[in-house]
Amino acid sequence: MPKMSFREALNQAMSEEMQRDPNVLLMGEEVGYYNGAYKVSQGMLARFGEKRVIDTPIAECGFVGIGVGAAMVGLRPIVELMTFNFSLVAIDQIINSAAKIHQMSAGQFKVPMVIRGAGGAAHQLGAQHSNSFEAVYCNTPGLKVVMPSTPADAKGLLKTSIRDDDPVVFIEAELLYGETGEVPEGEYLIPLGKGDIKRPGKDCTIVAYSKMVGLALQAAKELEKEGIDVEIVDPRTLRPLDEDLIFSSVRKTNRLVILQEATPHSSFGGEIAYRVQKHCFDDLDAPIERVASEDVPVPYALNLEAIVLPDVARVVAAVKRTLE
Amino acid sequence: METVTTPVPSQEAVHPALLKPLADADVPVLRDAYRQMLFIRRTEEAAAKAYGQGKIGGFLHLVIGQESICVGAALALRPADYMVTSYREHGHFMAKAGSSLASGKAVLSELWAKDTGCARGLGGSMHMFSAEHRFLGGYGIVGAQAPLAAGVAFGSKYQNLPEVTLCFLGDGAVNQGAFFEGLSLAGLWKLPVVFIVENNQYSMGTPLERTLAHPDITLRASGFAMQRDRFVSDDVLEVRDRISAAVERARTEFVPSLLEIETYRYRGHSMSDPGNYRTKEEIERWKKRDSIELARTRLLKVLPEAELVAIDDQVRDWVAEAVRFADESPPAQESSIWTTVYAQPGTDPRRM
């Protein structure tokens, strides 16, 4: 299996789908001549031309709305947001139009589009460019929400998302773009709503997604030195959620740590905690733990940012608390 | 940039449309336009009555007074063309379907929240859709439909289809960011779309002079390489002609347009708005320019009155039939809650 970076896997997924279906197109800021702000669309303009790889002005509300309308009449637009921080100026198009049109029209119109781009904190980007908004989109019926953690998952899930008949919010952790991994060639599709065990273990379950999977794996190594064997469950798609995979893991380990980069209040981790206590109440041997960012906007200073964002030590400590 | 001036007819003089000769070819068109406008008005009056009887829930925004725009616009379109609208859209929905009896039934049944409604009771007054008639929805967030409509036009152009999209907005929408972004991209990418601002003088209860820095709304197009036009809604044939010019410009030259049509709604913003911010005299003054009355007066010069009375009778019967149909239709179906949220086969909103 060839090794490639996360960004190359995304590029391959989009390119293969554009090759396969002439109604798939990519639009967004800098996706064409600049080859992508994060080089995800490198070479795609040269390959597919200006008609299908479309540079937009900085007008997220406008071009996300264009994607919605185009999807209603037969296209499958991939709309790239340079980062999901900017999705807020397009959020009405996403939540009130894209997510609701199929229902409001009683199924007469569908909106098969992918809204994708970078999300989460990177290095010292400050409060406005470090947001994790997945809970907002997970709280919206009509949407699907995907957050891959590996290049292979990124490819398989993006290809499925492009073929899906519903609007998909596809959030890529900015710091993962350069990560490499083995990626299956050609027709590789991962169904939405199917999670993955990233590390099997028996003592405690960690549910983590996107770049937090990497943090969980680091924590697992630390814990292994002390004889603690954690299982890491990566739901990969947050909506629909593979809750059965989480339940079966918790039933085995009887302990759960939820790891997320988003701030804790009203967040996705709370949903997992609700479902696990509801369905695995008698299986839990300890209160559910959650490791999240501190409940503050992400500050600029490196030393402060490091305190605010989740780190290995906090994950290790949380796992140990469940074992006390 | 010069302001496009619109000749506003004085109240005392004979309306200029009555002085214009009526071409032979336009007689059947005006006759049908009269029928359509009347059917839309009477259908909405039936809706207003039903609202008072508690048959309709939620918001109800009536287009009464503005029917010539709905019908004139539809006359300017081919069946394959699209309409995207705001939430004041019963008339547009009906006109796009030729104001057939079926369209009246579909609207009233939707308002009655019945399974036979145009969105099976899921959309309601503000969210009407018809795939068959390429009516892509009423939207309830002011101005949000502008980028969406530009996207529909983008889809047509991308697929090399000779279709035009009409996007209807109220004067209240022209201060929204989404409106400007829609115009900006339509102009930049030369999309076959015509934005029609129905200027009914008030954004909800606030008059134009308190919402617009400059009274000419079409000036907003001038930064976006679009064409613009500004006229009054009184004469449905003129509405058709002016919109046709913009539609054909969009279809053949990919030049989008922004049109501002001066009009007036006789009712409040919605059923809960008594409209106390307007005087009786103002409303009466506008009613003297009523498009339906004007069409009737013109037709009476060339058709026997009995023919118009027959139309009036047919409209009355159709409304009664549509009301009866809505009354007798089955309610919205519970299963639709689960089957309409996602399009992808196998996706169940209960398993998210």
Side-chain angles (χ1 to χ4, degrees), chain A residues 50-259:
Chain A
E50 278 184 339
K51 185 184 171 188
R52 301 181 65 195
V53 179
I54 303 159
D55 282 325
T56 67
I58 299 172
E60 285 85 3
C61 169
F63 66 76
V64 171
I66 291 259
V68 177
M72 287 178 81
V73 295
L75 303 189
R76 289 185 176 271
I78 307 165
V79 177
E80 178 175 309
L81 296 169
M82 192 182 292
T83 81
F84 264 88
N85 302 292
F86 315 146
S87 72
L88 291 195
V89 294
I91 202 162
D92 176 58
Q93 298 294 332
I94 300 171
I95 289 182
N96 271 317
S97 294
K100 295 184 178 148
I101 281 168
H102 192 262
Q103 190 251 24
M104 293 195 300
S105 70
Q108 291 180 82
F109 295 97
K110 59 184 182 182
V111 183
M113 72 186 292
V114 175
I115 301 158
R116 51 155 290 271
H123 295 303
Q124 290 190 270
L125 301 184
Q128 293 186 334
H129 284 71
S130 302
N131 292 294
S132 297
F133 284 138
E134 63 269 23
V136 175
Y137 298 109
C138 283
N139 196 232
T140 303
L143 296 180
K144 294 170 180 175
V145 180
V146 180
M147 292 187 75
S149 66
T150 69
D153 287 354
K155 177 181 173 181
L157 290 165
L158 184 53
K159 282 173 71 80
T160 306
S161 298
I162 293 166
R163 294 186 199 183
D164 196 275
D165 278 344
D166 297 305
V168 178
V169 168
F170 194 100
I171 304 174
E172 303 147 8
E174 186 179 329
L175 290 180
L176 289 182
Y177 280 137
E179 294 287 309
T180 55
E182 289 188 339
V183 177
E185 283 179 285
E187 203 63 354
Y188 178 60
L189 294 153
I190 300 171
L192 305 188
K194 193 160 170 20
D196 185 39
I197 306 285
K198 286 291 189 283
R199 182 191 192 280
K202 60 180 185 0
D203 295 330
C204 176
T205 299
I206 300 177
V207 171
Y209 53 92
S210 189
K211 74 167 177 276
M212 290 299 107
V213 171
L215 201 66
L217 286 165
Q218 287 177 49
K221 267 190 193 163
E222 293 297 313
L223 289 159
E224 198 178 293
K225 292 176 194 162
E226 303 180 43
I228 300 168
D229 183 21
V230 298
E231 176 150 299
I232 299 171
V233 178
D234 176 5
R236 302 194 289 200
T237 68
L238 309 193
R239 182 185 180 91
L241 176 67
D242 188 353
E243 60 179 19
D244 292 339
L245 188 69
I246 296 171
F247 297 161
S248 64
S249 178
V250 170
R251 284 177 187 136
K252 183 172 70 175
T253 66
N254 311 111
R255 290 166 183 84
L256 175 62
V257 173
I258 301 161
L259 172 55

Side-chain angles (χ1 to χ4, degrees), chain B residues 75-78 81 162 164 166 192 194 240-255 257:
Chain B
L75 290 174
L77 297 182
R78 299 177 185 171
D81 293 331
V164 175
L166 292 192
V194 178
R240 174 201 60 179
D241 293 342
R242 303 281 278 263
I243 293 177
S244 284
V247 164
E248 292 320 309
R249 215 158 42 218
R251 197 189 312 280
T252 57
E253 300 167 42
F254 295 110
V255 177
S257 298

Side-chain angles (χ1 to χ4, degrees), chain A residues 22 51-52 54 57 59 61-62 65-66 69-70 73 92-93 102-106 108-109 142-144 165-166 239 241, chain B residues 82 118-119 122 127 129-131 136 139 141 144 147-148 150-152 154 158-159 181 185 188 340 342-344 347 352:
Chain A
K51 185 184 171 188
R52 301 181 65 195
I54 303 159
C61 169
I66 291 259
V73 295
D92 176 58
Q93 298 294 332
H102 192 262
Q103 190 251 24
M104 293 195 300
S105 70
Q108 291 180 82
F109 295 97
L143 296 180
K144 294 170 180 175
D165 278 344
D166 297 305
R239 182 185 180 91
L241 176 67
Chain B
Y82 294 103
C118 58
L122 291 157
H127 310 302
F129 291 83
S130 169
L136 269 61
Y139 294 87
I141 307 299
L148 188 149
V152 174
F154 176 94
Y158 183 96
Q159 296 172 94
E181 294 197 22
L185 290 165
L188 177 69
T340 57
Y342 291 99
Q344 181 69 24
T347 304
M352 281 290 123

